[in-house]
Amino acid sequence: MDGEPKVYPTSAHWGTFQVLVEAGRVVGARPDPADPAPSPVIGNAPDAQHHPSRIDRPAVRRDWLRNGPGPDDRRGAVGDEYVAVDWETALDLLAREFDRVRTAHGNAAVYGGSYGWASAGRLHHSQSQLHRFLKLIGGYTRSKNTYSHAAVEVLVPHVVGAQGAHDLLERPATWRAIAEHTDLIVTFGGLRVSNTWVSSGGRAANTAEPGMRAASAAGVRTVSVSPLRDDTLADMGAEWLPAAPGTDTAIMLALMHVLFEEGLADTAFLDRYTVGAQVLRRYVLGATDGLAKTPEWAAELCELPADTLRDLARRMASGRTLVNVGWSVQRSRYGEQPLWAGIALAACLGQIGLPGGGFATGYGSTGRYGGGATPGGLPRMPQGANPIDSFIPVARVADMLLHPGETYAFDGERRTYPDIRMVVWSGGNPFHHHQDLKRLTRAFGRPDTVVVVETHWTATARHADIVLPSTTALERDDLTAGRGDLRLRAMPRAVPPHGEARDEYDIYAALARRLGVEKEFTEGRTSGEWLRHIYEQWRERQPEGVPDFDAFWAAGGVDLPGRVDDATTFGEFRADPVAHPLQTPSGRIELYSATVDSFGYPDCPGHPVWPPSDERRGGRRAGLWPLLLIANQPSGKLHSQQDMGAYSRSQKIAGRAPLRIHPDDAAARGLRDGDVVKVLNDVGSCLAGVAVSEEPRPGVVQLSTGAWYDPSAPDTATCVHGNPNALTRDIGTSSLSQGTTAQHILVEIKKFEGTPPPVRAFDPPVLADLEGD
Ligand SMILES: Nc1nc2c(c(=O)[nH]1)N[C@H]1C(S)=C(S)[C@@H](COP(=O)(O)OP(=O)(O)OC[C@H]3O[C@@H](n4cnc5c(=O)[nH]c(N)nc54)[C@H](O)[C@@H]3O)O[C@H]1N2
Ligand SMILES: Nc1nc2c(c(=O)[nH]1)N[C@H]1C(S)=C(S)[C@@H](COP(=O)(O)OP(=O)(O)OC[C@H]3O[C@@H](n4cnc5c(=O)[nH]c(N)nc54)[C@H](O)[C@@H]3O)O[C@H]1N2
Ligand SMILES: [Mo]
């Protein structure tokens, strides 16, 4: 072929990069030259863009076409048939179904929660388009909070107030401030560098990895409490405390025990800035329940020596210490407790509100942390208001579908699950992200109609009655920046749409026309006009000197104005707690919360406690299922996205998700590198490929999320590709937050004898033509 490939700048949640295009096809991807530490995940883009698993035409399940809407246990069945239809037919069918459901059952019968990460891009953001449309046709049942950190979202406002929780999530200290002020970071859940490649909405450059390195070079010491050695950068020289997963709360209570016993707790801080310190102290010392939370007590549970804990407590009290609780730690049963105990521990150290000290949650969980803040907002599609107030905590989706009309507890309320007749999902993959996928399949059999708008034939698309093909971010003009980003970037279209794929804006505009709200949806603009409009609206709110749209587009971006680089979380509160009280009932940090106590939840009482989870080594279920599987974030991709891409594939073993296992545990089971294993428990099973490794501690195995769910050989395993959610229990963190508990799974592992079944996850269904049906 003649000539050089054309180069297009683009952005994904996993960074800013360039794609190389020849004859309308993406033939390569390479880092943005300005990114000091680009993520290898960009290597997935070329294959994913043109993969046979792309959806090229609208499709409808044959049974749904034949029988009409209604519950159907065959949704998601192996070999289920789809019929290709043209856009007009698909949109007519769908508009009619929206109308039928809202008229017959009311808008709360439409579940539009549609959780998921979709793609970067402020205008074509999948959920923003869907929700804007659903609001205009009368509203929908939404989802509240995240899979990422629901316990942070629900518990932490009770402890430090809504603004405090917001500041913890949005304006944590910069790596620069940490380098300058911090002596010791004690991080529960590591500082996993592959996680910092990702920031929601993308990031102009990776600032986390250089930030961590600079802090370490400046002499900041890191102690990583984690089941995996490589949860920190090797050259940071972190000290590794290989605690048993799910025991962080016990460790923190023991650290507080040392602080109280040895007179190291900052009682002046506790008196002035907290309430409930006495309640907590009595619990820690054992006055409440007769059980002193000593290092010896914790040592049994966390499998670290008591002296190590004692020594750590003394070191933490001897300098500026930052206590970081990674989000993974709260993605487990009683996930509220390590957060609350972590805040309490930092309060005992008396450093909350000091630069580089105190409490944080999420360093190592996202790339944006430590990179500063941009308070000026970002361009966005106006969202309108949902006319109805119906919601579920996001991870209760299967419960909702299976138990309409039943009640459940959530954050002090007794709530009732709505009766959902129609599920609409765009930009998310619940058959990646949710727990107990066999149960989720049953749940997806309940509604009358399931609609999925997707770029690829994911397992979720294969559970849908109506499947609509969306363009990818490389196929449309957009702009993007993440929260706290450095620069707003243009994302020009690099290639034409795949097959008949359409922009979601155009899909919902066409549906809006059929339902009589086209004018309200489009406001008379094309998506290209909206792009210009949201930019210009944003520009009006910025200081002088921000270029107009054409100049922005021509330059490829604009530095975000007004960056704040050195906010100290709780700094004002510390300086003057009377003038700047927290938004809690007491105005202080609530180590005991009368509000939470008043809810009467045995699984989340009024102060941090150690409720032993069953899903734990030594827990009640561990007799049968002796290995604790860590289902953490995949380093080869974002969740399930682009799992068919070259970089993700390069990590697979025998074509399946890699499972890392300690040599002792491998030897005990006769396992070797490259073996295919069956991972099983009482919930389900999956196949995976073995990597024997010293990185996980003994008793712990790692099988990251993201392998496309493949139930094609149910007699062999629930999933033959290695999706850990085939094995997770669908149970909430507690009655308070109802967050996911998917990080920890007790399992057994056996060598797979014989020829394992092929992986069919990426084979799209065969589409029949409508004629002849
Ligand atoms: N066991 C276990 N499970 C977990 C977790 C865990 O730690 N352990 N972590 C949880 C967490 S924190 C999260 S955030 C979730 C993530 O779960 P999800 O966010 O659901 O996972 P993704 O794979 O990112 O799904 C995004 C989907 O959007 C599609 N998509 C991309 N761009 C577009 C677009 O422009 N339009 C449309 N219509 N679709 C698009 C992609 O093809 C993909 O299928 O997983 C959770 N699940
Ligand atoms: N490359 C990549 N990056 C991502 C994502 C991705 O899919 N791919 N997903 C993004 C999203 S949506 C989110 S929410 C964040 C999540 O960020 P995190 O929640 O921080 O990420 P995880 O990788 O799930 O977990 C980090 C580490 O916690 C440790 N850990 C697990 N359980 C315990 C425990 O009980 N105690 C202690 N002390 N440690 C434990 C594990 O060793 C694990 O490697 O990551 C984001 N970053
Ligand atoms: Mo997440």
Side-chain angles (χ1 to χ4, degrees):
M1 191 166 295
D2 284 344
E4 294 284 298
K6 281 194 77 167
V7 179
Y8 291 86
T10 192
S11 282
H13 300 299
W14 47 90
T16 301
F17 60 105
Q18 300 174 341
V19 289
L20 312 182
V21 174
E22 258 175 27
R25 290 181 72 85
V26 177
V27 295
R30 66 185 188 199
D32 183 276
D35 193 335
S39 123
V41 175
I42 64 176
N44 291 326
D47 290 344
Q49 172 61 27
H50 304 289
H51 195 264
S53 60
R54 280 296 300 275
I55 306 172
D56 38 37
R57 290 190 285 172
V60 184
R61 267 184 73 235
R62 190 186 287 280
D63 283 351
W64 190 90
L65 260 188
R66 205 178 268 150
N67 307 330
D72 188 348
D73 287 335
R74 279 191 47 79
R75 270 189 203 110
V78 181
D80 206 10
E81 289 175 39
Y82 282 85
V83 175
V85 296
D86 59 38
W87 271 105
E88 295 304 301
T89 309
L91 293 167
D92 286 346
L93 279 172
L94 182 50
R96 236 182 292 139
E97 183 58 2
F98 270 122
D99 210 32
R100 183 191 73 85
V101 171
R102 69 174 174 176
T103 310
H105 305 285
N107 280 76
V110 177
Y111 183 61
S114 194
Y115 184 85
W117 269 61
S119 288
R122 302 288 302 169
L123 173 67
H124 291 288
H125 178 242
S126 197
Q127 283 84 5
S128 301
Q129 294 295 345
L130 172 65
H131 291 157
R132 180 177 158 83
F133 162 73
L134 289 177
K135 285 167 183 167
L136 288 173
I137 64 163
Y140 63 101
T141 293
R142 68 197 164 93
S143 60
K144 196 163 175 168
N145 300 329
T146 60
Y147 279 75
S148 313
H149 44 55
V152 181
E153 290 160 284
V154 181
L155 171 78
V156 174
H158 288 295
V159 180
V160 296
Q163 186 62 42
H166 175 269
D167 288 353
L168 280 172
L169 280 173
E170 300 303 334
R171 291 182 68 174
T174 57
W175 285 112
R176 203 171 67 207
I178 290 172
E180 190 180 340
H181 299 285
T182 308
D183 298 310
L184 179 67
I185 302 176
V186 178
T187 179
F188 297 84
L191 294 172
R192 197 171 141 80
V193 71
S194 56
N195 285 343
T196 67
W197 294 335
V198 166
S199 307
S200 174
R203 195 163 174 82
N206 178 359
T207 46
E209 190 172 333
M212 291 193 273
R213 285 219 159 82
S216 144
V220 180
R221 303 286 305 155
T222 299
V223 170
S224 173
V225 181
S226 160
L228 304 182
R229 186 200 316 269
D230 58 3
D231 270 346
T232 51
L233 283 164
D235 55 320
M236 270 175 77
E239 208 176 305
W240 181 37
L241 297 186
T247 63
D248 302 273
T249 308
I251 295 172
M252 294 166 180
L253 291 168
L255 295 172
M256 286 188 264
H257 192 276
V258 177
L259 299 180
F260 286 133
E261 280 282 286
E262 301 190 0
L264 298 172
D266 187 337
T267 45
F269 181 91
L270 291 173
D271 288 348
R272 184 155 188 226
Y273 296 101
T274 74
V275 290
Q278 281 313 320
V279 178
L280 181 71
R281 184 190 164 97
R282 281 202 302 277
Y283 174 75
V284 168
L285 297 182
T288 330
D289 57 0
L291 181 67
K293 313 301 179 299
T294 61
E296 284 70 21
W297 164 80
E300 292 267 304
L301 299 163
C302 70
E303 304 173 18
L304 298 173
D307 282 346
T308 302
L309 301 182
R310 199 163 268 119
D311 173 60
L312 179 61
R314 293 172 188 151
R315 282 163 63 198
M316 291 172 84
S318 70
R320 185 65 54 85
T321 298
L322 182 64
V323 177
N324 179 54
V325 177
W327 295 337
S328 62
V329 175
Q330 53 88 67
R331 225 177 290 118
S332 65
R333 191 79 176 121
Y334 313 124
E336 293 82 2
Q337 301 310 319
L339 290 169
W340 209 345
I343 295 172
L345 173 60
C348 289
L349 293 169
Q351 299 179 7
I352 293 176
L354 291 180
F359 174 82
T361 176
Y363 287 101
S365 305
T366 167
R368 70 189 160 90
Y369 271 26
T374 39
L378 296 169
R380 69 195 296 257
M381 192 75 182
Q383 283 298 291
N386 194 342
I388 62 170
D389 185 23
S390 174
F391 76 83
I392 56 161
V394 67
R396 299 275 51 84
V397 58
D399 284 1
M400 168 185 73
L401 296 174
L402 291 167
H403 301 287
E406 289 185 21
T407 63
Y408 64 99
F410 173 65
D411 197 15
E413 292 179 54
R414 195 83 215 152
R415 300 188 54 85
T416 305
Y417 288 122
D419 186 1
I420 298 299
R421 299 306 178 103
M422 185 170 181
V423 169
V424 191
W425 223 294
S426 77
N429 187 2
F431 283 86
H432 154 72
H433 70 232
H434 194 60
Q435 287 55 75
D436 191 349
L437 294 178
K438 251 190 320 200
R439 182 172 189 257
L440 188 66
T441 290
R442 279 207 306 285
F444 266 59
R446 299 295 88 213
D448 295 347
T449 300
V450 176
V451 183
V452 169
V453 186
E454 251 294 349
T455 53
H456 290 74
W457 275 106
T458 60
T460 302
R462 302 177 78 140
H463 283 76
D465 303 303
I466 301 179
V467 179
L468 301 179
S470 162
T471 50
T472 64
L474 294 174
E475 297 165 2
R476 52 205 185 203
D477 285 335
D478 210 335
L479 48 76
T480 200
R483 279 170 289 164
D485 212 335
L486 316 164
R487 198 169 158 78
L488 181 69
R489 283 103 58 206
M491 295 169 66
R493 170 203 271 214
V495 287
H498 172 89
E500 295 177 19
R502 288 191 183 174
D503 292 353
E504 281 155 288
Y505 177 78
D506 294 324
I507 296 174
Y508 298 121
L511 285 169
R513 182 179 327 130
R514 285 166 172 78
L515 292 166
V517 289
E518 181 182 18
K519 267 226 314 280
E520 291 79 353
F521 184 81
T522 67
E523 297 180 23
R525 295 186 189 92
T526 63
S527 62
E529 288 161 351
W530 269 111
L531 188 63
R532 190 174 281 273
H533 181 71
I534 63 171
Y535 179 90
E536 290 297 346
Q537 293 251 299
W538 168 79
R539 184 164 85 103
E540 274 173 26
R541 300 191 302 270
Q542 304 308 309
E544 302 263 312
V546 173
D548 67 14
F549 179 82
D550 291 320
F552 154 76
W553 195 257
V558 54
D559 287 342
L560 285 164
R563 289 182 50 76
V564 181
D565 282 329
D566 280 318
T568 300
T569 326
F570 301 115
E572 290 185 333
F573 167 65
R574 184 178 184 108
D576 189 343
V578 177
H580 302 284
L582 301 182
Q583 295 163 337
T584 53
S586 62
R588 301 185 186 180
I589 300 168
E590 305 226 331
L591 305 183
Y592 164 83
S593 161
T595 310
V596 174
D597 200 17
S598 74
F599 300 157
Y601 297 147
D603 53 3
C604 189
H607 61 84
V609 294
W610 163 251
S613 161
D614 288 345
E615 208 74 23
R616 185 176 56 84
R617 280 167 58 74
R620 204 166 48 82
R621 289 157 45 79
L624 280 175
W625 316 111
L627 294 170
L628 196 289
L629 186 151
I630 293 292
N632 60 355
Q633 312 300 308
S635 62
K637 55 192 169 267
L638 173 67
H639 313 133
S640 68
Q641 295 198 40
Q642 309 196 338
D643 186 28
M644 72 299 285
Y647 185 64
S648 175
R649 277 202 330 267
S650 75
Q651 296 187 335
K652 293 191 192 279
I653 296 174
R656 289 156 228 268
L659 175 135
R660 294 203 303 178
I661 184 167
H662 190 272
D664 295 352
D665 295 317
R669 289 163 181 79
L671 301 178
R672 286 205 238 138
D673 272 335
D675 282 349
V676 172
V677 284
K678 182 161 174 173
V679 188
L680 63 155
N681 65 12
D682 49 346
V683 174
S685 58
C686 72
L687 304 188
V690 169
V692 179
S693 160
E694 301 264 359
E695 301 304 306
R697 49 151 287 159
V700 164
V701 296
Q702 177 197 348
L703 177 66
S704 297
T705 63
W708 274 29
Y709 180 52
D710 185 344
S712 64
D715 296 337
T716 304
T718 317
C719 170
V720 300
H721 192 198
N723 185 324
N725 281 319
L727 298 118
T728 38
R729 289 201 292 163
D730 193 357
I731 179 172
T733 49
S734 82
S735 312
L736 188 86
S737 317
Q738 295 286 8
T740 182
T741 55
Q743 181 82 191
H744 298 162
I745 320 171
L746 283 171
V747 299
E748 182 49 292
I749 293 177
K750 295 193 171 122
K751 186 167 171 168
F752 188 87
E753 305 290 351
T755 310
V759 173
R760 300 197 187 284
F762 302 127
D763 302 347
V766 178
L767 295 194
D769 277 317
L770 186 54
E771 294 79 29
D773 186 51

